[in-house]
Amino acid sequence: MSIALKNTTLDECFGGDYAWSEQQRVACAIGGVYTALAIERVLPIMHSGPGCQGNINGVLASTNGGQNADSFLESVIPSTNFCEADVVFGGQERLRRLVEDSVKYYDADLFVITDGCTSEIVGDDIEEIANDYRGTDTKVVHAALPGFKGNNVWGHSQILHAIIDQYLPSAEEAKSISKNPKQVNVFGVVPFYDTFWVATLEKLEELLRDIGFEPNIIYGRDKGLAAVDKIPAAGFNLLLSPWIDLDVVKKLEEKYETPFFHYSAMPIGPSETGRFIREITEYAGTDRIAAEAYIKKQEDRYYYYLNHSLRWIYTCRVQPREFFINSSATQALSLTRYLVNDLGFIPRQIFINEDVPESEHERILADFHDLDWKGASDIEVIFTADGGLCDQYVKRSDTSFRKTVILGTTWDELTAKTSRIPFVPVSAPYGDVIVGQKTYFGYDGGLALMQDIFNDAAAKGMGTVN
Amino acid sequence: MAKKLKQIAIYGKGGIGKSTTTSNLSAALSDMGYKVMQFGCDPKADSTNTLRDGTYIPTVLDLLREKGTVKAHDAIFQGYNGIYCVEAGGPAPGVGCAGRGIITAVQLLKQQNAFEELDLDYVIYDVLGDVVCGGFAVPIREGIAEHVFTVSSSDFMAVYAANNLFKGIKQYSNRGGALLGGVIANSISNDYQRAIIDDFVEKTNTQVMQYVPRSITVTQSELSGKTTIEGAPTSKQATIYRELAKRVDEHATSKTPEPLDSAQLQDWASKWADQLLAIESGEVRGEAAAI
Ligand SMILES: Nc1ncnc2c1ncn2[C@@H]1O[C@H](COP(=O)(O)OP(=O)(O)O)[C@@H](O)[C@H]1O
Ligand SMILES: [Mg+2]
C-alpha cells in the first residue's frame, strides 16, 4: 500500500483521475471467524471456498497491524475448500468428515463450524453436523456466515450468538449459578477488526480492576473458555460501543437476567475516561471516593506529560485543528469525543463505514451530539458503505496550512499524502506494520493519540514525510 | 462444409410427457437420416430410457462424482438407430444444487466440442420445466438451444408451467436466448382439451406443433423399453410423432411469446373452469359439442 507509493503522490501515479471503489475497509461475514480465533483454544472449521480465509485475513489481520491468530494460526484452520463439486452435490458429507477429523487431530476446547455464501445458497446444513456432537464431550457449535447477509461485524455477532445459544448453559441450567456482583463482562469490541483490541482490552481490564470491579473479558491472552463459562455469573454486562454487541447484551439480559451498562464510546483521554469511571461507579453503586481518587491520580499524570511537551506542541510548525474520520462507529465516536472535548479540534466530516443498520443511525447521531462543543448538533456524520467517499470530501475541502488531520485506514493515508496533510491510522486495514501493544484507550491512550497526530503534523511540516 | 447444427430444447412440467415426446421425436428424426443427440436435463435421468431398451445410463454428474473429471465420450451412449444419449443427472434429493449440475454437465460437453466432433444435426435437450432456478434455464439462456418447444396438456398446472417457461424465454429473448417454436399438446383426447390449448397459444402468441393423443400404444412400447416409433412403427401414434418430427424439422423461425401475467392467467383458468363445469353438468351440451 504505502510502500509502492513512497515517493509519489496519487495524482502523479494516476493523473488525478481515480476512484477507490474497491478499497476494503470491512470484510465479508466470514470475518466473524476472527472473533472465534480471538478466544483462546477455539478453532473455527470453515466450510467455504478456497481463498475465503485469505480475503478476510488481509483486511482484518495481516494488513491490519500485522496481526495473526494465536492459539490456532490461520494456516492451520481446517477448511473444506468448497468447490463446484460441492455446489452440485452438496458439501455436507465432506464437511462431516472434516469435522470428524478435526475433532480427532486438533487439541481445541471448542469447535465452531462456519460456512460462507456458496454453501448457504446450496443449502448445506451445518447445524445438523454440529448436532452430531450434542451431548458428547466434544464441544461443537455452528454459525452461518453468508456474505450476502452482512459484513464481518455481522459475522462477529453471529459467532457470539452461536456461543451464547449453543454453548453456554440454558436459562434453566444457569439458575443454579450464583451471581458475582463485582464481575463485569465486557462487550462491544470486535477483535482483530478493531486494530487495537488486544491492548485496549488489557488496559480496560486494568482500569476496571483498579476501580474495584472483576472484569471478565473473553478475548485475548489467558482467557478462553474459562472466561466464556463465567459469562452467566456476571453482576452486569458492560457494553462499550454505540451499537455493536447491543443485541448480545440484550440477549444475555433476557437469558440470564444480567442487566447491562451501556457506555457508547471506548474512552480516550481524561474527559471521557473520567466520565466513564464516574458513570459506571454510579451505575454499580461502588466506592465513589475511591473512583475520584483514581481519576485525580490519572489526570495529574496525564497533564504532567502534556505539560512536559507543551512548548513543543505550541511551537509546532503545523497546528492541526480540524479532522476527518473514516472509521467504525465505535472508533469514530471515541476519537471525536477526545479530539473535541480535550484537544479542542473541530470535526469536518465523520464517515462511518461498517454498514451500520439504519435503525441505529439516530441513536448514534445522538451520541455524537453529546459533546462539549457548541457546534455539536451540526456535526456532520455520514453513514456509508462507500469507504472512498471520505477521499472525495477531503480533496474538495480546504486543507491548506495542514491544519486538517485524517484519522482512518491505511487507504486514507493515500489521500493524506496526496493532500500533504497529517494522518493517523486508527482502523482496519491499519497498515502493513506491527500494531503491537498500541491503543488509544484511557489516559495513556489520549496522550499517545495526541503524540501521533502532532508527530505526523510536524514531520509533514518539515517536509520529511511525503 | 460443416452443416448447421440445430439445437432444440423441450420443456414442460414433470410427468407431462417430455421424455416420451422427445424420445419419439429423436427416433423419428433419426429415421429421417439425421444424426441426433438427446440430452436429458432432469435429475430423474430417465430421458433416454426408451431409446436404450429401458436401461439407465451413467449420468455426467455420476461420472463427475466418481472420477472428479469426465471425458465427454464417457458420458455419451448410443441408442436406437445410433442416437447419442446423454443424461445430465443430479445430486441426491435435498442436497446440493441441481441447477448448477445442469450448467456443469452442459458446459462439460460444450467445452470438449463433443457436438462438433460427432457431426450432429440435432441436439435435443429434454429439460424439467417447472423448476425455476437459473440452472434449468441454461439451455435457453446461453443460446445453447435456438428453439424451445413446450409440452403441455390442457391441465391447468401444465399450462401454468408452460406460461412460466414463456416468461423465462421472454426474459432472455433480447439477449440472444432461445425463442419459442410452439407447444406440443400432449394427452389431447377430446375437443375441449384441444380448445383450451388453442385458446392458450392464441393468447400467448404462439402455435401448436402437434396434438398428441393419449394412447395405450405409448404405454405398451414403453413397457417393452421402446419408443412408439421403434415399438409400434406402423401405429397411428407413430405417424403422429413422425408428423411432429417433420414439422420440427421444417420449423425455421421461432418467436418471442407473450406470457400471461398471474392475474390474467387466473382469469383465463377460471373462465375455462366455469365452462368445463357447465359441460360436465350438461348445461351447455349443444355448444360444447361445437367447440
Ligand atoms: N401421449 C401419451 N400417451 C400415453 N402415455 C403417455 C403419453 N405421454 C406420456 N405418457 C406417459 O406418461 C408418463 C410420464 O411421461 P414422461 O415422458 O416420463 O414425462 P416427463 O418426461 O415429462 O416427466 C410415462 O409413463 C409415459 O409413458
Ligand atoms: Mg422425463
Side-chain angles (χ1 to χ4, degrees):
Chain A
M1 305 190 175
S2 56
I3 303 158
L5 296 160
K6 198 128 219 174
N7 295 310
T8 353
T9 68
L10 284 175
D11 288 320
E12 279 157 16
C13 276
F14 301 103
D17 183 20
Y18 48 88
W20 295 118
S21 54
E22 83 296 359
Q23 293 179 344
Q24 255 190 300
R25 286 173 174 82
V26 290
C28 80
I30 288 180
V33 299
Y34 273 107
T35 296
L37 288 165
I39 308 173
E40 264 185 5
R41 294 175 53 78
V42 172
L43 178 70
I45 299 174
M46 297 178 68
H47 188 40
S48 42
C52 285
Q53 209 291 321
N55 278 333
I56 60 162
N57 171 272
V59 64
L60 296 182
S62 67
T63 317
N64 191 26
Q67 304 184 72
N68 56 248
D70 310 292
S71 27
F72 295 104
L73 213 62
E74 285 90 336
S75 52
V76 306
I77 297 174
S79 168
T80 52
N81 284 338
F82 200 93
C83 284
E84 184 175 29
D86 303 304
V87 173
V88 173
F89 301 117
Q92 212 166 312
E93 286 317 304
R94 253 171 20 83
L95 175 63
R96 195 186 305 278
R97 258 183 294 133
L98 179 72
V99 175
E100 276 166 23
D101 287 344
S102 303
V103 162
K104 223 181 283 165
Y105 296 116
Y106 287 83
D107 182 19
D109 293 340
L110 174 70
F111 298 86
V112 184
I113 305 174
T114 64
D115 64 0
C117 45
T118 29
S119 48
E120 278 295 307
I121 289 170
V122 173
D124 279 358
D125 189 353
I126 59 171
E127 175 169 4
E128 200 240 334
I129 293 173
N131 284 348
D132 286 354
Y133 297 87
R134 218 192 246 163
T136 71
D137 289 341
T138 312
K139 301 291 170 219
V140 182
V141 299
H142 64 91
L145 301 178
F148 49 78
K149 295 262 273 197
N151 59 24
N152 64 290
V153 172
W154 182 84
H156 155 84
S157 139
Q158 297 310 106
I159 298 286
L160 289 184
H161 284 289
I163 291 174
I164 296 169
D165 295 340
Q166 303 162 43
Y167 170 77
L168 284 181
S170 68
E172 207 42 51
E173 290 162 342
K175 289 233 161 78
S176 59
I177 299 173
S178 55
K179 300 258 182 193
N180 171 0
K182 285 190 157 182
Q183 186 194 318
V184 183
N185 302 322
V186 176
F187 291 98
V189 173
V190 183
F192 286 90
Y193 171 63
D194 176 344
T195 322
F196 309 122
W197 67 281
V198 178
T200 298
L201 290 176
E202 235 173 46
K203 296 284 175 198
L204 173 65
E205 186 177 33
E206 227 174 83
L207 182 148
L208 288 170
R209 198 162 278 145
D210 285 348
I211 58 172
F213 293 102
E214 288 176 26
N216 182 46
I217 293 170
I218 62 174
Y219 314 119
R221 200 167 60 89
D222 269 350
K223 309 292 185 208
L225 284 200
V228 174
D229 289 337
K230 277 166 66 183
I231 287 175
F236 68 97
N237 290 313
L238 168 61
L239 178 63
L240 283 165
S241 88
W243 75 281
I244 288 170
D245 287 355
L246 184 56
D247 52 342
V248 169
V249 293
K250 280 184 177 161
K251 176 174 267 183
L252 290 171
E253 180 170 53
E254 216 171 275
K255 191 168 179 181
Y256 301 127
E257 289 166 19
T258 316
F260 64 88
F261 172 60
H262 187 177
Y263 193 84
S264 299
M266 183 60 84
I268 299 175
S271 301
E272 271 297 289
T273 316
R275 179 176 158 187
F276 164 69
I277 294 171
R278 289 186 180 106
E279 287 188 15
I280 193 173
T281 306
E282 162 125 17
Y283 173 84
T286 45
D287 190 346
R288 264 171 58 191
I289 293 160
E292 288 302 332
Y294 178 83
I295 292 171
K296 167 131 194 4
K297 194 175 131 204
Q298 294 298 330
E299 282 187 357
D300 283 353
R301 188 165 163 278
Y302 173 89
Y303 287 110
Y304 172 82
Y305 273 103
L306 197 66
N307 284 328
H308 191 62
S309 294
L310 210 54
R311 207 180 88 95
W312 185 91
I313 292 169
Y314 282 156
T315 56
C316 182
R317 237 199 257 191
V318 175
Q319 284 293 330
R321 53 184 177 274
E322 295 178 350
F323 62 93
F324 286 96
I325 299 178
N326 194 10
S327 186
S328 67
T330 311
Q331 194 66 277
L333 179 65
S334 310
L335 292 165
T336 301
R337 291 235 178 120
Y338 174 65
L339 294 173
V340 173
N341 294 348
D342 292 87
L343 297 189
F345 283 23
I346 291 168
R348 295 288 284 261
Q349 277 93 11
I350 314 284
F351 297 88
I352 294 183
N353 57 31
E354 87 264 38
D355 204 10
V356 180
E358 230 176 279
S359 55
E360 306 289 338
H361 290 187
E362 213 169 304
R363 211 161 32 73
I364 295 174
L365 272 177
D367 286 330
F368 273 95
H369 294 159
D370 181 8
L371 289 173
D372 285 340
W373 177 47
K374 63 178 188 306
S377 57
D378 296 325
I379 192 168
E380 245 185 287
V381 178
I382 299 162
F383 294 92
T384 175
D386 178 359
L389 204 59
C390 178
D391 174 82
Q392 318 244 321
Y393 272 77
V394 172
K395 299 244 174 78
R396 266 187 232 129
S397 62
D398 174 16
T399 54
S400 46
F401 306 109
R402 288 164 202 159
K403 63 183 186 296
T404 314
V405 56
I406 304 179
L407 301 117
T409 68
T410 192
W411 293 115
D412 305 300
E413 187 172 3
L414 301 174
T415 309
K417 279 186 176 173
T418 309
S419 303
R420 295 179 193 277
I421 55 175
F423 165 79
V424 177
V426 294
S427 58
Y430 182 82
D432 235 348
V433 293
I434 303 174
V435 65
Q437 72 279 48
K438 191 177 198 79
T439 173
Y440 293 138
F441 170 77
Y443 295 92
D444 281 359
L447 288 167
L449 178 59
M450 183 273 293
Q451 289 154 18
D452 285 345
I453 291 172
F454 277 87
N455 287 347
D456 198 60
K460 287 215 167 85
M462 299 299 284
T464 53
V465 173
N466 286 303
Chain B
M1 196 194 84
K3 55 190 174 185
K4 175 91 173 72
L5 169 66
K6 203 166 174 182
Q7 303 202 68
I8 289 171
I10 311 280
Y11 279 76
K13 124 185 203 322
I16 202 63
K18 292 180 299 294
S19 301
T20 309
T21 313
T22 309
S23 303
N24 277 296
L25 177 62
S26 296
L29 286 168
S30 169
D31 280 350
M32 286 161 74
Y34 291 118
K35 289 180 97 172
V36 181
M37 174 185 280
Q38 180 164 325
F39 198 130
C41 293
D42 183 332
K44 204 153 46 122
D46 63 349
S47 172
T48 58
N49 282 21
T50 52
L51 293 171
R52 292 184 36 86
D53 297 321
T55 61
Y56 283 88
I57 58 176
T59 70
V60 177
L61 294 188
D62 283 342
L63 296 167
L64 200 64
R65 187 175 359 228
E66 275 161 32
K67 299 183 186 156
T69 57
V70 178
K71 282 216 270 322
H73 291 283
D74 295 337
I76 301 172
F77 297 81
Q78 282 190 292
Y80 169 76
N81 216 17
I83 295 174
Y84 297 104
C85 302
V86 182
E87 295 283 354
V95 214
C97 175
R100 183 69 215 175
I102 304 235
I103 296 178
T104 311
V106 171
Q107 281 175 351
L108 210 132
L109 262 71
K110 248 179 74 171
Q111 275 160 10
Q112 300 183 29
N113 292 325
F115 305 151
E116 288 83 350
E117 272 173 35
L118 294 172
D119 194 30
L120 299 172
D121 297 296
Y122 276 98
V123 179
I124 309 182
Y125 299 89
D126 169 8
V127 197
L128 183 58
D130 47 7
V131 180
V132 288
C133 107
F136 290 83
V138 161
I140 314 177
R141 191 180 76 197
E142 310 216 324
I144 289 171
E146 308 129 87
H147 307 284
V148 179
F149 297 97
T150 175
V151 178
S152 178
S153 67
S154 61
D155 188 65
F156 179 68
M157 290 320 291
V159 172
Y160 178 85
N163 191 63
N164 260 356
L165 172 71
F166 293 0
K167 287 182 184 170
I169 294 173
K170 193 172 179 189
Q171 161 107 352
Y172 295 113
S173 60
N174 48 15
R175 284 187 261 147
L179 297 180
L180 183 67
V183 174
I184 301 168
N186 193 31
S187 301
I188 303 297
S189 307
N190 60 39
D191 288 341
Y192 71 76
Q193 289 173 338
R194 192 176 171 130
I196 290 173
I197 283 291
D198 284 346
D199 189 32
F200 175 67
V201 298
E202 195 199 309
K203 295 246 166 12
T204 53
N205 187 34
T206 182
Q207 59 177 346
V208 173
M209 294 300 288
Q210 178 65 302
Y211 302 93
V212 182
R214 213 171 166 80
S215 153
I216 190 78
T217 323
V218 172
T219 318
Q220 280 163 347
S221 306
E222 190 182 277
L223 284 173
S224 57
K226 291 182 171 31
T227 58
T228 310
I229 296 286
E230 186 186 3
T234 57
S235 63
K236 183 155 175 280
Q237 190 78 1
T239 310
I240 289 168
Y241 284 127
R242 272 193 292 270
E243 261 173 40
L244 170 66
K246 197 154 165 280
R247 281 183 204 145
V248 167
D249 189 36
E250 282 161 5
H251 178 86
T253 21
S254 290
K255 291 192 293 185
T256 304
E258 293 302 332
L260 305 175
D261 65 32
S262 328
Q264 286 171 326
L265 190 65
Q266 272 168 27
D267 279 355
W268 180 85
S270 64
K271 255 182 226 138
W272 273 104
D274 290 346
Q275 286 213 32
L276 294 185
L277 207 67
I279 292 168
E280 298 218 333
S281 59
E283 274 175 44
V284 284
R285 182 164 296 277
E287 257 179 83
I291 48 172

